[in-house]
Amino acid sequence: MRVSSGFIPTVKETPADAVIPSHQLMIRAGMVRALAAGVYAYLPLCYRSFKKAMEIIRQEMDAIGAQELHLPALSPIELWEETGRVKAFGDILFHLKNRPLVLAPTHEEVICWLAKNHISSYKEMPQIWYQIQTKFRNEPRPRSGVLRGRQFIMKDSYSLDSTWNGLDKSYDLHAQAYKKIFARCGLNFFIVGASSGAMGGTGSQEFMMESNAGEDIIAVSADNSNAANVEVATSRVPAAPRDSESKALKEVRTPNIKTIDQLAEFLTVDHNRLAKSVVYWADETPVLVLMLGNDELNEAKLMTAMGTEVRPIEAEKLLALTGADGGSIGPVGLRERTPASAKFKIVADNRLRGANNLISGANKNDFHIMNIDLERDCTIDSYYDLRTINPGEESPNDTGPLRVVKGVELGHIFKLGTKYADALHAKFLDENGKEQPIIMGSYGIGVERIIACHIEQNHDENGIIWDKSLAPFMFHLVAVGTKSKTVIEASEQLYAAMQAAGLEVLFDDRTDVSPGFKFKDADLLGMPFQVIVGEKNLAQGKIEIKVRKTGERSFVEKESLILHLKSLIED
RNA sequence: CGGGGCGUAGCUCAGCCCGGUUAGAGCGCUUGGUUUGGGACCAAGAAGUCGCAGGUUCAAAUCCUGUCGCCCCGACCA
């Protein structure tokens, strides 16, 4: 491809609307243009990279015996009514105005329809079907360039099995394939256990990449072997100590003490003697939550523990119920002094299980109670893991200290089970002639996210730095000094020779821009190797090669250039 | 859905508060000339219903109302 006649609209200035590096660079490098919020045109350079990523995906999917197919984007809304997903997706689902059709946000229903009509025996399974297609979701807030769009390219595959063991096998095949795919794309990823959300099903894992542009917060061990969403993450932290002797309760005056730190200092005690109280509503029930020291309550964990939505109690309401303000609440005597109708629940974090000689609020402003024994002096309804982990704490499987990072979800694999087959009556006859629902799995990868994440991870102040696996072109041939006939001739010859040798080359043959302009563009576009043809080097029979990633330059004899370039690809 | 910001030339933006020449700059584009190893220079040009609709006014890019679009934060996110 020649730059002079190609469509690569680069821009010097950083576009105002783009905030994250990948978005800025994809616009500056002439890869994408936004047509509407969350809707992008993928220009030639971009699409070449997409095709690279898709080809890697295809190879690895084919390798596990998956079969590629192509499904309609339009599907009858009736199909989605049957699985209850018109309601589940809500506003995310794009509806058509003049036909009872929807734009598919994913394809479980269509796969299930196919399976229902054509899979009737256990002998016909397992099957793995996949598609690499555009999906449509009316995201309430598209953002971060192509990372969250209203239409996007997704590799989605679906497994059909006759047994639960079969599903496990199909699922594991995908997990293995995904590891290979992301590794081949040069991405650092980690795997986190995930909730299945509205997809339903019995298990799922996410493939995440660490990135500041990410929307998920993940705790990951130093060696990336252990990762979990902070909403469920745990760490190794010691429990509060239990002394052999529980001392007698004692009320102490603690004037103007508002925080745990102030309290620890005022009473000169360690944090692990302090039980912090926070009060929430779980539906209409007030819940006193005890946390050790300065441990932060994790609302998502509380929600899971309570099995319902939770929200912090209002300050006035708390005062009205207990007669004390937030800083002075505690478990001792709480139920006695609050109206029975309130039905106060008291729960505590696991770190406090059975602890004694604790200090907590006295339910009286400016007073605390010392030497509380949670077993002797109050009734804890339940203990749960409720704390938010902190960076630096030891990971639960002893694989080093945890980091807390933002992550982008690159892929997600689900064991769906029989939810869809049940709803759409996709059944088969098993070995005993008994009718059973088909057991499904579904497995997605975001193609745009592979490219955008790669750019997020591989760029500098000058532009993109492509990995060889995803680069639109392996080589960027730059003719410097296009007034010189020798340069023009030599670069044209090289271009032809490189193409003949099957090398992917972008040829900057422009005669109307300065060398500096070409160099800036070459760095911006970020092909792995720049092959620079200049008059001075040419006079000595040499061609210059610049490695984009390192900036390292070398000079190669013109005659041996093609061989040399081939060796560069091999490394 | 809550909060904030922005819509003026292809791009980045000034002008708006405080209404009043013919609406500007830089980049890009066209033509001619000079340049050519890190986003060159000179000259001459083309390019805008100031997002849209209504209102106030002798007069609106500027003030008011509505509306549409875009970005950011939050909520949400198979």
Side-chain angles (χ1 to χ4, degrees):
Chain A
M1 181 175 178
R2 288 171 186 267
V3 176
S4 64
S5 54
F7 180 41
I8 310 173
T10 61
V11 289
K12 188 159 70 176
E13 284 171 296
T14 302
D17 282 351
V19 175
I20 63 169
S22 62
H23 189 195
Q24 294 173 342
L25 286 169
M26 287 176 89
I27 293 170
R28 287 195 53 212
M31 293 176 67
V32 298
R33 286 296 184 268
L35 176 63
V39 180
Y40 287 84
Y42 304 137
L43 309 188
L45 230 44
C46 181
Y47 202 56
R48 287 186 70 100
S49 278
F50 278 22
K51 284 188 281 189
K52 294 277 177 80
M54 291 189 278
E55 187 50 32
I56 290 171
I57 292 169
R58 272 196 187 97
Q59 287 172 5
E60 297 301 336
M61 293 310 298
D62 290 349
I64 61 169
Q67 306 155 74
E68 186 172 10
L69 42 64
H70 192 94
L71 300 171
L74 291 169
S75 56
I77 192 166
E78 198 184 358
L79 198 53
W80 298 77
E81 300 278 12
E82 282 184 63
T83 55
R85 291 176 104 198
V86 172
K87 196 166 173 232
F89 273 110
D91 201 37
I92 297 285
L93 187 65
F94 277 110
H95 294 247
L96 265 63
K97 272 186 182 163
N98 55 353
R99 284 276 167 196
L101 294 171
V102 298
L103 283 173
T106 175
H107 281 84
E108 281 79 11
E109 277 79 356
V110 178
I111 291 287
C112 220
W113 162 81
L114 274 175
K116 170 191 176 164
N117 289 330
H118 301 286
I119 303 289
S120 47
S121 159
Y122 71 94
K123 292 175 189 166
E124 294 168 312
M125 290 181 278
Q127 290 285 330
I128 298 175
W129 299 339
Y130 77 100
Q131 41 154 194
I132 303 178
Q133 284 181 236
T134 301
K135 310 248 167 167
F136 301 85
R137 292 182 194 177
N138 185 23
E139 293 289 347
R141 189 183 150 208
R143 71 183 105 177
S144 305
V146 301
L147 275 182
R148 180 170 288 278
R150 291 212 167 108
Q151 73 167 71
F152 53 94
I153 302 172
M154 190 172 199
K155 187 289 297 181
D156 235 348
S157 52
Y158 305 89
S159 61
L160 309 173
D161 279 283
S162 57
T163 65
W164 292 94
N165 277 342
L167 171 62
D168 290 344
K169 210 172 146 192
S170 296
Y171 183 91
D172 289 342
L173 281 174
H174 277 89
Q176 296 311 315
Y178 277 31
K179 286 179 196 170
K180 286 184 188 163
I181 289 166
F182 296 127
R184 283 182 64 185
C185 290
L187 295 170
N188 293 320
F189 64 95
F190 43 84
I191 302 171
V192 306
S195 72
S196 304
M199 291 291 286
T202 55
S204 83
Q205 286 171 298
E206 290 173 328
F207 289 72
M208 307 282 309
M209 199 201 75
E210 182 177 343
S211 169
N212 283 332
E215 298 172 352
D216 298 277
I217 300 176
I218 309 295
V220 51
S221 64
D223 65 353
N224 284 5
S225 68
N226 187 277
N229 195 298
V230 283
E231 291 180 1
V232 296
T234 58
S235 62
R236 285 203 192 281
V237 281
R242 179 168 180 93
D243 298 337
S244 52
E245 184 199 353
S246 288
K247 298 182 209 159
L249 286 181
K250 189 170 83 180
E251 202 172 86
V252 287
R253 214 173 108 74
T254 50
N256 294 319
I257 300 296
K258 300 286 180 218
T259 68
I260 287 290
D261 286 334
Q262 289 168 352
L263 186 62
E265 193 180 330
F266 182 76
L267 298 174
T268 57
V269 294
D270 205 73
H271 276 83
N272 65 11
R273 285 294 175 199
L274 304 178
K276 175 171 74 171
S277 303
V278 287
V279 184
Y280 271 74
W281 289 113
D283 280 338
E284 296 315 307
T285 307
V287 183
L288 173 71
V289 185
L290 289 174
M291 302 297 299
L292 178 61
N294 254 338
D295 282 0
E296 188 191 338
L297 170 69
N298 188 318
E299 288 188 11
K301 288 182 178 177
L302 181 63
M303 211 175 289
T304 306
M306 296 294 106
T308 178
E309 295 283 308
V310 300
R311 63 187 193 282
I313 197 166
E314 305 80 4
E316 322 81 67
K317 201 78 186 161
L318 181 64
L319 183 64
L321 271 178
T322 66
D325 286 319
S328 303
I329 305 297
V332 178
L334 177 72
R335 287 201 183 88
E336 289 71 20
R337 54 185 304 132
T338 54
S341 60
K343 290 183 189 154
F344 239 102
K345 252 191 187 170
I346 303 178
V347 300
D349 180 63
N350 281 337
R351 284 184 90 186
L352 283 166
R353 191 182 289 273
N356 66 353
N357 297 330
L358 294 168
I359 300 163
S360 193
N363 298 314
K364 195 160 83 176
N365 279 355
D366 293 335
F367 284 92
H368 279 77
I369 295 180
M370 300 183 69
N371 303 328
I372 301 170
D373 181 337
L374 292 183
E375 294 179 345
R376 179 191 67 188
D377 304 317
C378 51
T379 308
I380 306 296
D381 292 313
S382 294
Y383 291 91
Y384 301 101
D385 169 36
L386 295 172
R387 75 185 285 276
T388 303
I389 66 120
N390 292 312
E393 290 167 3
E394 181 63 28
S395 81
N397 61 349
D398 294 313
T399 47
L402 293 171
R403 293 178 299 132
V404 173
V405 301
K406 288 200 227 171
V408 174
E409 180 186 345
L410 290 165
H412 203 157
I413 55 180
F414 293 90
K415 291 181 184 175
L416 293 177
T418 59
K419 175 180 167 174
Y420 295 91
D422 287 337
L424 295 170
H425 312 292
K427 302 202 169 111
F428 68 97
L429 291 182
D430 68 13
E431 292 165 274
N432 306 312
K434 211 181 149 212
E435 197 172 64
Q436 305 279 5
I438 293 173
I439 302 169
M440 287 180 65
S442 95
Y443 318 88
I445 291 179
V447 174
E448 284 91 343
R449 288 184 174 186
I450 288 180
I451 302 300
C453 282
H454 176 268
I455 295 173
E456 284 292 320
Q457 265 191 187
N458 301 283
H459 69 271
D460 61 18
E461 66 279 9
N462 295 315
I464 301 171
I465 304 173
W466 286 109
D467 188 270
K468 284 185 279 190
S469 60
L470 298 177
F473 292 91
M474 198 65 70
F475 300 103
H476 194 143
L477 177 63
V478 182
V480 174
T482 41
K483 207 175 63 176
S484 154
K485 226 174 185 172
T486 53
V487 168
I488 292 174
E489 277 171 14
S491 56
E492 287 287 348
Q493 275 169 18
L494 269 179
Y495 180 53
M498 287 170 78
Q499 284 191 313
L503 302 175
E504 292 180 319
V505 54
L506 179 65
F507 179 25
D508 194 343
D509 59 335
R510 289 175 293 183
T511 54
D512 54 349
V513 296
S514 66
F517 200 100
K518 291 189 177 183
F519 291 138
K520 288 288 186 189
D521 260 359
D523 285 349
L524 175 62
L525 299 185
M527 305 315 157
F529 305 105
Q530 296 170 15
V531 179
I532 302 164
V533 182
E535 200 160 18
K536 279 182 200 155
N537 291 317
L538 213 50
Q540 293 162 24
K542 304 263 191 186
I543 303 293
E544 178 179 350
I545 295 171
K546 176 181 162 185
V547 180
R548 174 64 180 91
K549 188 170 187 163
T550 60
E552 172 195 350
R553 292 170 194 274
S554 56
F555 300 87
V556 180
E557 295 289 341
K558 199 176 145 200
E559 287 67 33
S560 56
L561 183 75
I562 297 292
L563 268 178
H564 183 81
L565 296 181
K566 281 185 173 170
S567 75
L568 287 176
I569 300 177
E570 304 298 315
D571 293 342

